[in-house]
Amino acid sequence: MSTISKIGVYTSGGDAPGMNAAIRAVVRTAHYYQLEVSGIRLGYEGMINGDIQPMNLKSVGNILHRGGTVLKTARSEEFRTDEGKQKAYRQLKRFGIDALVAIGGDGTFTGANKFSEMFEIPVIGIPATIDNDLKGTDFTIGYDTALNTVVKSVDQIRDTAESHDRLFIIEVMGRDSGMIALHAGIAAGAEAVMIPELKNNLEHLIERLSAPGHQKSSKILIVAEGQEIGGAFEIGRIVREKFPQYDTRVSVLGHMQRGGHPSCNDRVLASRFGVAAVEGLQAGKTQVMTGIQNQQIVYIPLDQAILQPSELDLKLLKIIDQLS
Ligand code: F6P
């Protein structure tokens, strides 16, 4: 057992629906075990600047269902430097914080891991990113909500595509991961998806659009933002050139994918991760991320979680070809 007494909790990197549910779970679990907890606003920026407030049961009331993050979030250049980290550590000492819960994605965890190593302060990460790209957890907070937002948007685009007999190229987020694109592609019945994990995206697309007997009145092509050929507008240009017979339109879904009320799955996941993070710190764990594998909570070393991109089951691509 460890002897921590005050936890600092923060969100960092891109926001994800369900971050508030995770903050709430951390604060309430800390209270349950009679630990103090402070909220660090704006991630590492707030840590450096001492933007730190005590939190209690009431300060996390009525946030479980809200998108975004009440602690706000940022990406900090200064924290990447040793001086920035030293400033941050001095602030934590000043506020009596002796353990951290970092809610975010790979950038957040890279900083947290280094910081923990430098100052021997225990840190546990909670994976929260719509990209679902951390290794060692089946799901990250925010992915389920974002995926549902994407599918709903594609369904709506399908209505207009169908009415006009159009081909729509829809760009979705995911950074270097095709997770959102691939799963949304199956759920929304896309004719093809283009993802960073594949190197022959264009050949595959041309093959799909040229296939005889594939003459649907509307067509949906989902493009992951990180795939090699370029954004949806570049793909649109190529498609118009090679297939002038199609009435082609491009739609970039953008940041609306990150907003909105978290889904039930994300709220449950965030709540479980929040409890596990505080209990993990109490059990003396550090430099690990909470994860979920086959519905069971696990702790994954931070350096493994961020090391490689999460694996994508490419067999799912065949399902798109088979079913669309
Ligand atoms: O990591 C989450 C994410 O939404 C990615 O999917 C996307 O590439 C990136 O953040 C966008 O970042 P920003 O909000 O800084 O434009």
Side-chain angles (χ1 to χ4, degrees):
M1 285 301 270
S2 81
T3 54
I4 58 166
S5 61
K6 194 193 268 190
I7 295 172
V9 60
Y10 59 97
T11 49
S12 165
D15 64 318
M19 277 183 160
N20 283 326
I23 296 166
R24 170 182 177 269
V26 169
V27 171
R28 295 206 167 161
T29 310
H31 181 266
Y32 180 87
Y33 290 113
Q34 291 161 358
L35 297 170
E36 285 183 75
V37 56
S38 283
I40 303 166
R41 280 164 45 91
L42 285 165
Y44 295 115
E45 282 298 306
M47 206 184 281
I48 290 169
N49 299 323
D51 193 352
I52 298 172
Q53 297 285 333
M55 295 185 89
N56 56 33
L57 291 182
K58 242 182 130 184
S59 45
V60 291
N62 207 23
I63 67 167
L64 173 63
H65 62 293
R66 284 168 54 194
T69 160
V70 292
L71 287 176
K72 300 199 177 278
T73 185
R75 296 188 175 103
S76 170
E77 280 307 313
E78 194 177 359
F79 191 77
R80 289 175 196 268
T81 66
D82 284 356
E83 299 75 55
K85 289 191 187 69
Q86 268 145 13
K87 276 194 205 167
Y89 184 64
R90 282 198 292 275
Q91 294 286 9
L92 295 186
K93 292 284 271 187
R94 189 159 81 86
F95 284 89
I97 291 171
D98 51 14
L100 291 170
V101 174
I103 305 173
D106 56 352
T108 307
F109 295 164
T110 304
N113 203 29
K114 199 87 185 277
F115 189 70
S116 176
E117 225 163 71
M118 272 174 83
F119 301 105
E120 292 183 6
I121 180 163
V123 175
I124 293 198
I126 294 183
T129 162
I130 65 163
D131 302 339
N132 200 24
D133 60 351
L134 289 161
K135 212 172 167 70
T137 184
D138 295 343
F139 298 105
T140 57
I141 298 168
Y143 169 67
D144 183 65
T145 307
L147 193 53
N148 280 293
T149 302
V150 169
V151 170
K152 185 166 183 259
S153 308
V154 176
D155 286 349
Q156 289 179 198
I157 291 173
R158 174 79 81 178
D159 289 345
T160 176
E162 185 68 23
S163 305
H164 287 268
D165 287 350
R166 279 179 176 162
L167 182 154
F168 264 86
I169 297 167
I170 303 172
E171 183 179 303
V172 301
M173 279 187 168
R175 207 181 287 274
D176 302 322
S177 164
M179 203 67 128
I180 293 178
L182 187 53
H183 288 87
I186 294 176
E191 276 59 51
V193 297
M194 299 175 82
I195 53 176
E197 291 81 354
L198 266 194
K199 293 297 157 228
N200 61 344
N201 277 299
L202 194 57
E203 291 81 343
H204 184 243
L205 172 67
I206 291 171
E207 203 179 290
R208 295 286 297 152
L209 293 181
S210 318
H214 205 272
Q215 303 310 324
K216 283 196 192 170
S217 51
S218 69
K219 289 186 192 299
I220 299 286
L221 163 61
I222 298 188
V223 174
E225 62 176 350
Q227 54 74 42
E228 59 181 353
I229 296 159
F233 285 99
E234 175 58 13
I235 313 272
R237 193 191 59 74
I238 297 171
V239 168
R240 280 193 189 100
E241 202 176 283
K242 292 207 180 301
F243 300 94
Q245 71 274 30
Y246 293 132
D247 186 8
T248 301
R249 292 289 188 277
V250 173
S251 184
V252 177
L253 296 188
H255 287 80
M256 53 96 82
Q257 295 164 88
R258 286 223 302 250
H261 297 301
S263 66
C264 173
N265 278 343
D266 276 331
R267 294 180 204 193
V268 173
L269 187 65
S271 301
R272 291 183 73 183
F273 280 168
V275 172
V278 174
E279 291 183 345
L281 283 173
Q282 281 194 305
K285 293 188 191 300
T286 182
Q287 289 176 263
V288 291
M289 164 191 95
T290 60
I292 192 150
Q293 292 178 4
N294 302 320
Q295 284 304 325
Q296 299 303 312
I297 293 288
V298 292
Y299 295 93
I300 306 292
L302 285 176
D303 54 3
Q304 280 178 30
I306 58 185
L307 202 59
Q308 298 144 342
S310 154
E311 282 137 22
L312 200 55
D313 183 357
L314 292 178
K315 288 198 287 296
L316 296 178
L317 268 181
K318 192 168 169 213
I319 294 187
I320 292 183
D321 293 355
Q322 285 170 318
L323 301 186
S324 67

